[in-house]
Amino acid sequence: MKKIKFIYLAVCFLVLFGCFSSPKFYKITSQKEYDSHWLQGKEYVEIKQDSLEIVSVFQEVDEGKLVFSFKITNLKQPTFDVKPETFYCTFDVPIQDTTRTVTSLDPEIVIRRLETNIKHRKSKLERQQDIDAFTNLLDTALDANSKETAKQKTVDEVSDNTREIEQKLNYTEAERKIQNLNKIHNSWATDTLRRTTISQNSSISGLVYFPFNTKAKNFTLYLPLGTNVIDIVYRQKMIGKKEL
């Protein structure tokens, strides 16, 4: 009876936990009357200021980050550097009556950390494989010189086979995690907006990640570009279950 009650309480806990951890969805749209158009459900905000043309597109909220794509065109200046690590965002939080400022994620730092993590995991996997190979070889040598009974030898063989299967499963899982990290690294290396010098009539595009604030009602993106600082204001609204 006690066991049944325990299982019932555990199920209730999981149900409640699932309710509290259900995913939330947000609608992000431009707040001002920008020159914009929509394509495949995404709003393309276009801004021209002095010698610059910027196209801003909200992509998604992903793991606590606002993901935007920008296309930046140099219309007149000889050259200037696009430095996404200097982009920042201010959130207006009416409940707290405060404005919070966050900087975008520096892609170079993220890429270096991913590379370090991948190298560490590869080194750890290779070291574990060497240790396991030595242990398995030692076990084989000991078994060959063992004076155990046939029955005991059979038990040891089963144990050795089970251990080797577990080792291979661990290798497979470790390799899967390394592959996933490689995919993330490749995405950051090729899809994100990284520091670039653009000449006149040239453009650069890519993704920029900002920390996300769930309590904000609106936020403003600031893009320092050359001698200009472009600001783009967005409205943020959580979508209710009835709107999904």
Side-chain angles (χ1 to χ4, degrees):
M1 188 66 182
K2 289 182 178 180
K3 184 177 180 180
I4 294 174
K5 287 183 178 180
F6 176 79
I7 295 173
Y8 175 76
L9 289 172
V11 171
C12 290
F13 174 80
L14 290 173
V15 171
L16 288 171
F17 183 81
C19 292
F20 285 119
S21 62
S22 59
K24 296 179 176 61
F25 298 91
Y26 295 85
K27 183 178 181 180
I28 309 291
T29 53
S30 62
Q31 194 173 32
K32 293 184 178 180
E33 293 299 323
Y34 294 107
D35 183 13
S36 66
H37 68 275
W38 290 78
L39 178 64
Q40 296 293 326
K42 296 185 183 298
E43 182 185 24
Y44 288 67
V45 177
E46 301 173 10
I47 296 175
K48 284 187 179 181
Q49 183 173 313
D50 298 334
S51 60
L52 297 172
E53 183 178 75
I54 294 92
V55 179
S56 172
V57 185
F58 166 69
Q59 296 292 339
E60 61 178 335
V61 176
D62 179 40
E63 295 184 354
K65 296 182 289 291
L66 280 167
V67 186
F68 277 85
S69 63
F70 297 106
K71 181 179 180 181
I72 300 165
T73 304
N74 179 6
L75 299 176
K76 298 179 182 178
Q77 297 184 44
T79 63
F80 71 86
D81 281 1
V82 176
K83 296 183 283 186
E85 68 274 11
T86 64
F87 295 0
Y88 61 99
C89 174
T90 60
F91 291 96
D92 293 329
V93 186
I95 297 176
Q96 300 173 355
D97 193 26
T98 58
T99 300
R100 296 185 177 181
T101 302
V102 297
T103 56
S104 65
L105 275 65
D106 187 336
E108 307 310 318
I109 292 177
V110 174
I111 289 169
R112 286 198 299 271
R113 287 176 177 172
L114 285 167
E115 288 172 347
T116 300
N117 195 352
I118 290 168
K119 288 179 181 178
H120 172 73
R121 287 177 179 272
K122 284 183 176 179
S123 177
K124 184 178 178 181
L125 174 59
E126 290 171 0
R127 187 167 60 252
Q128 188 61 53
Q129 287 174 326
D130 289 341
I131 293 171
D132 291 342
F134 176 76
T135 301
N136 294 340
L137 184 62
L138 184 61
D139 281 348
T140 301
L142 292 173
D143 290 342
N145 297 312
S146 175
K147 296 181 180 180
E148 294 177 334
T149 63
K151 182 178 181 181
Q152 185 59 46
K153 286 184 177 181
T154 300
V155 172
D156 289 346
E157 286 177 4
V158 172
S159 178
D160 291 344
N161 291 335
T162 301
R163 184 183 68 249
E164 290 180 14
I165 291 172
E166 289 177 350
Q167 289 171 353
K168 290 178 181 179
L169 289 174
N170 290 335
Y171 301 157
T172 300
E173 178 63 15
E175 289 167 353
R176 184 188 66 80
K177 290 180 179 179
I178 292 171
Q179 289 175 355
N180 288 341
L181 285 173
N182 274 318
K183 288 179 182 179
I184 296 171
H185 172 270
N186 292 338
S187 176
W188 274 88
T190 58
D191 298 336
T192 57
L193 185 64
R194 302 175 68 180
R195 182 170 182 173
T196 304
T197 301
I198 56 176
S199 56
Q200 187 175 342
N201 296 320
S202 296
S203 62
I204 186 71
S205 60
L207 301 175
V208 178
Y209 294 77
F210 298 89
F212 181 50
N213 190 318
T214 59
K215 298 178 181 179
K217 294 299 180 183
N218 55 70
F219 59 87
T220 305
L221 304 179
Y222 293 90
L223 319 181
L225 297 167
T227 58
N228 300 294
V229 178
I230 310 300
D231 61 279
I232 313 171
V233 184
Y234 281 91
R235 179 184 295 108
Q236 173 180 310
K237 179 185 177 183
M238 189 172 71
I239 301 174
K241 292 182 179 180
K242 293 182 180 180
E243 300 177 75
L244 293 177

